[in-house]
Amino acid sequence: LAMIGYGASAQVMIFFLPLYLQNAYDFDSLIAGVAMIPFAVPMVAAPRVTAKLAAIYSGRALLTAGLAIAMVGNILFAIFAYLHLPYYIFLLSMLVAGCGAGLLNGQTVKVISGAVPENRAGMASGLASTTRFIGILVSVAVLGAILSDVATRQFVTIATRLGLESAAAEAAAKRVTSGDLDGVLAGAPENLRAALRTTGLTAYSSGFSEASLLAAVIALLACALTY
């Protein structure tokens, strides 16, 4: 349960965060990769800290704590994205979420392997990997659908108010959610480009916010079941 929760609410952000940084802050791919550092560093460094904590606290307690931290990180993602706050504030949520992911990264396989006899360690490792990837894949599909739906509806609503025809707004929304905002602007009337750019960035932020809320709910459920 903790492994599924880890994959579905924490590790899945490795997929969504770079897209968010590019489509909500208009970073290019290289800058977005560098901007992921606040999430990546605690994720890599946390296992060294949890190795010491494991001597004091049980595996169940550490997994529960990791899921709780991941939940808080996702809630912060949702709030900061909804408000479309600057990156230097948003990175605080990445640090929190990275700590939760790092704690889980260091403990999930260890706890699963420690719960079976030594001759079943390979089976436990395979089960851990399978459940984690199931969590990631299902979460990518569900969170991605929510992100796309919310961003599309918001973009179409605002774009039609700005003067785009409904069909054109819906076609443009699909390009926004796929990360092609520049393509939308290139084909838009010049007097609407600035407003459409802002609309596209904020619509994607709103979609990511809703998806993050669901990720927080998943982390909460996994936390309750693990506890």
Side-chain angles (χ1 to χ4, degrees), residues 10 17 38-39 115 124 131 137 151 171 196:
L17 281 172
F39 181 78
T131 52
L137 292 173
L196 287 176

Side-chain angles (χ1 to χ4, degrees), residues 46-73:
R48 297 187 179 184
V49 177
T50 57
K52 298 178 181 179
L53 294 176
I56 305 173
Y57 302 102
S58 68
R60 182 190 295 270
L62 292 176
L63 293 178
T64 302
L67 289 165
I69 296 171
M71 178 189 67
V72 173

Side-chain angles (χ1 to χ4, degrees), residues 4-29:
I4 292 174
Y6 166 46
S9 66
Q11 198 170 27
V12 70
M13 288 303 167
I14 294 175
F15 174 82
F16 281 108
L17 281 172
L19 297 176
Y20 174 73
L21 294 172
Q22 292 177 73
N23 297 321
Y25 291 108
D26 206 19
F27 292 168
D28 62 34
S29 55

Side-chain angles (χ1 to χ4, degrees), residues 29 44 79 142 168 177 186 194:
S29 55
V44 173
I79 294 172
V142 175
T177 56

Side-chain angles (χ1 to χ4, degrees), residues 65-181:
L67 289 165
I69 296 171
M71 178 189 67
V72 173
N74 282 317
I75 291 173
L76 292 177
F77 282 155
I79 294 172
F80 293 169
Y82 178 77
L83 298 175
H84 199 53
L85 298 178
Y87 169 75
Y88 65 84
I89 297 177
F90 182 79
L91 68 81
L92 298 176
S93 61
M94 297 174 69
L95 287 170
V96 175
C99 288
L103 197 160
L104 292 165
N105 185 42
Q107 286 297 306
T108 43
V109 174
K110 181 179 178 181
V111 172
I112 289 178
S113 298
V116 298
E118 289 185 7
N119 65 333
R120 295 297 183 94
M123 179 190 72
S125 178
L127 179 62
S129 297
T130 300
T131 52
R132 177 164 57 91
F133 281 114
I134 288 173
I136 293 172
L137 292 173
V138 173
S139 187
V140 165
V142 175
L143 298 186
I146 291 173
L147 190 159
S148 179
D149 180 65
V150 172
T152 296
R153 284 190 286 107
Q154 179 168 323
F155 182 87
V156 169
T157 299
I158 298 176
T160 51
R161 290 176 186 170
L162 292 172
L164 283 186
E165 294 182 0
S166 179
E170 291 179 5
K174 293 180 180 179
R175 301 182 74 173
V176 168
T177 56
S178 66
D180 187 23
L181 180 58

